[in-house]
Amino acid sequence: MTAPRRHMSVYERAIEKFARTPAGYWFVRNVAPRVDPPLLRISGGRFSSVYPAPTMLLTTIGAKSGRPRTLPLLYVAEGDSLILIASNYGRPGHPAWYRNLTTNPRVEVLAGAHSGVYTATEITDAEERSAAWQKALDLYAGYSDYEARTGGRTIPLIRLRRR
């Protein structure tokens, strides 16, 4: 049995409903990744194209290139840590940023009051992962759509802790 979801405004429900349509899926894969970095930089990590969903700019170091790689991601705040969902929009493979932080777990985050340097670790404990997954679904129910598309891939959940 799933826990009841948090209260969402009419606006939040409309954004989530749109994001789960083919047009919304296209938007979050093709438009938001281009629009959100400047929006997040200008606003100090407080505003994105999917506001009020918590969105960060995550900077990792490329696993192969060794170069900084920055991209916008949704996150769940949990106490002093942040949780990332490596859904890759439901594709069968893990996202590149996940591979980057398994090689180099030190990351930089631009996310308003949560901005700073963090260390990434994958959530592997089954109970902890289950609780984190429920929080991810509470943030965006569309993660269940992504999970169904993965072809059986377990979507990694990553905990970021401040350094």
Side-chain angles (χ1 to χ4, degrees), residues 66-77:
R67 295 182 180 163
R69 303 290 185 206
T70 302
L71 72 154
L73 290 174
L74 292 183
Y75 68 92
V76 176

Side-chain angles (χ1 to χ4, degrees), residues 86-122:
S87 66
N88 203 17
Y89 306 104
R91 295 179 187 140
H94 295 316
W97 64 262
Y98 169 77
R99 289 188 300 278
N100 292 347
L101 45 88
T102 57
T103 301
N104 185 350
R106 182 190 176 279
V107 299
E108 292 181 26
V109 169
L110 176 63
H114 298 292
S115 297
V117 177
Y118 287 78
T119 301
T121 56
E122 187 168 351

Side-chain angles (χ1 to χ4, degrees), residues 25-157:
Y25 181 70
W26 180 87
F27 177 86
V28 298
R29 285 187 57 211
N30 298 294
V31 177
R34 290 179 173 87
V35 171
D36 284 345
L39 283 175
L40 287 161
R41 285 185 186 103
I42 289 167
S43 68
R46 291 182 297 274
F47 186 76
S48 73
S49 65
V50 293
Y51 180 83
T55 307
M56 70 166 62
L57 270 185
L58 177 73
T59 302
T60 63
I61 301 300
K64 293 181 183 178
S65 70
R67 295 182 180 163
R69 303 290 185 206
T70 302
L71 72 154
L73 290 174
L74 292 183
Y75 68 92
V76 176
E78 184 181 65
D80 293 339
S81 66
L82 306 175
I83 299 170
L84 303 178
I85 302 91
S87 66
N88 203 17
Y89 306 104
R91 295 179 187 140
H94 295 316
W97 64 262
Y98 169 77
R99 289 188 300 278
N100 292 347
L101 45 88
T102 57
T103 301
N104 185 350
R106 182 190 176 279
V107 299
E108 292 181 26
V109 169
L110 176 63
H114 298 292
S115 297
V117 177
Y118 287 78
T119 301
T121 56
E122 187 168 351
I123 300 172
T124 56
D125 177 76
E127 189 173 309
E128 182 183 1
R129 187 189 184 289
S130 177
W133 182 248
Q134 287 307 310
K135 289 176 184 176
L137 291 174
D138 188 53
L139 170 65
Y140 176 55
Y143 285 128
S144 63
D145 302 340
Y146 293 172
E147 184 178 41
R149 289 185 196 141
T150 63
R153 173 176 72 90
T154 299
I155 295 175
L157 301 178

